[in-house]
Amino acid sequence: MGGAGAIHIPTGSLLGLGAILFCIGLYGALSKRNLIMVLVSVELMLNAANINLVTFSRLGVSPNLDGQIFTLFTITVAAAEVAVGLALILAIFRLRRTTHVEDLDVERH
């Protein structure tokens, strides 16, 4: 790994980036009222986890590709999750004409 032209980014910077992205995603998922923004925030948290997986795969005595393989699996699952999530949001919008979280309380209707 890391040929002659490879860019070396310090591990702490990558872990910090992952932590910042995860915190932004968590804030968005907990505070936003629009379902699409909540879905985007969850995706941001998944990407933070992917950065950490790749970063940790570089560490150790013998760096390997396990983190990249898990990241590809996570990206695949995230793509399926987005497709299902958008389909659900579209169905909810067609039914209730809104994508706001507060309007989706089934106990009120």
Side-chain angles (χ1 to χ4, degrees):
M1 294 198 170
I7 298 172
H8 180 72
I9 300 173
T11 302
S13 298
L14 291 172
L15 292 177
L17 175 66
I20 290 169
L21 285 179
F22 188 85
C23 289
I24 292 171
L26 183 64
Y27 173 75
L30 294 177
S31 66
K32 296 298 177 187
R33 296 178 179 176
N34 191 325
L35 284 175
I36 294 174
M37 291 305 296
V38 172
L39 187 62
V40 168
S41 297
V42 169
E43 290 300 316
L44 197 58
M45 288 191 293
L46 283 173
N47 285 328
N50 289 337
I51 289 173
N52 286 339
L53 283 173
V54 172
T55 301
F56 284 123
S57 73
R58 293 181 356 166
L59 299 177
V61 177
S62 61
N64 53 32
L65 294 176
D66 291 345
Q68 285 90 348
I69 293 169
F70 280 128
T71 299
L72 285 176
F73 180 73
T74 305
I75 289 171
T76 305
V77 171
E81 176 234 334
V82 166
V84 171
L86 286 177
L88 287 173
I89 290 171
L90 185 62
I92 289 169
F93 181 75
R94 286 182 179 168
L95 184 67
R96 303 232 175 142
R97 295 288 175 204
T98 184
T99 58
H100 288 272
V101 176
E102 295 93 14
D103 298 336
L104 301 178
D105 188 8
V106 293
E107 299 293 326
R108 284 194 298 168
H109 298 282

